[in-house]
Amino acid sequence: IGIKVFFDLMTEPDAKNPEIIVAHIDQGGVAVPELDVYAPHRNPDAKITLHKYRLHVARMLAYSEGSFDVKGIMATPWYKKAHEAIDIEAEIAAAQIDTDDLSPLEMYHRMDLNGLKDRAPG
């Protein structure tokens, strides 16, 4: 359904040998594609953007539970839940690689299943 939870798994032609189809695993886990939004110390506008994002997530949580009265949302459990969820996103974002300036071949790290198990045990 297109939701990248902690990672994204898809099949696609191999970047070096398009004759074969491979599993492709990509980083995920964040809703905001600009990783600097999660790092206000690097981006002065991030604090405002992050606050607006928390308010948005809190409203969506409230709506999902049938509450459409979102006045004073910052004093609700939904805002606290939104804050906690976005803190987790920020931790994930801090571990991610900014791939904007990388070519597909720079991101090419083909490995077999045993190699994947070594890199990501558990």
Side-chain angles (χ1 to χ4, degrees), residues 28-103:
V30 294
V32 179
E34 297 84 21
L35 297 180
D36 276 353
V37 167
Y38 297 100
H41 61 281
R42 287 196 312 250
N43 177 355
D45 297 328
K47 191 172 184 178
I48 294 167
T49 304
L50 209 50
H51 174 70
K52 289 179 180 179
Y53 179 45
R54 283 189 181 104
L55 290 173
H56 168 73
V57 171
R59 286 186 200 103
M60 295 302 102
L61 290 169
Y63 296 157
S64 74
E65 293 185 20
S67 177
F68 297 99
D69 179 15
V70 291
K71 293 177 185 165
I73 192 77
M74 290 176 60
T76 66
W78 299 301
Y79 187 78
K80 182 180 181 203
K81 288 178 184 179
H83 205 290
E84 291 168 354
I86 294 168
D87 284 349
I88 293 169
E89 281 189 41
E91 287 183 42
I92 293 169
Q96 290 192 350
I97 299 168
D98 187 355
T99 58
D100 289 344
D101 297 327
L102 298 178
S103 74

Side-chain angles (χ1 to χ4, degrees), residues 9 23 25 109-122:
L9 176 63
I25 301 173
H109 303 289
R110 185 171 172 189
M111 64 185 72
D112 62 14
L113 188 55
N114 287 330
L116 178 60
K117 287 177 182 177
D118 290 343
R119 295 280 312 245

Side-chain angles (χ1 to χ4, degrees), residues 13-29:
D14 183 83
K16 291 185 178 179
N17 181 359
E19 299 290 319
I20 61 173
I21 303 297
V22 295
H24 179 97
I25 301 173
D26 197 2
Q27 62 192 18

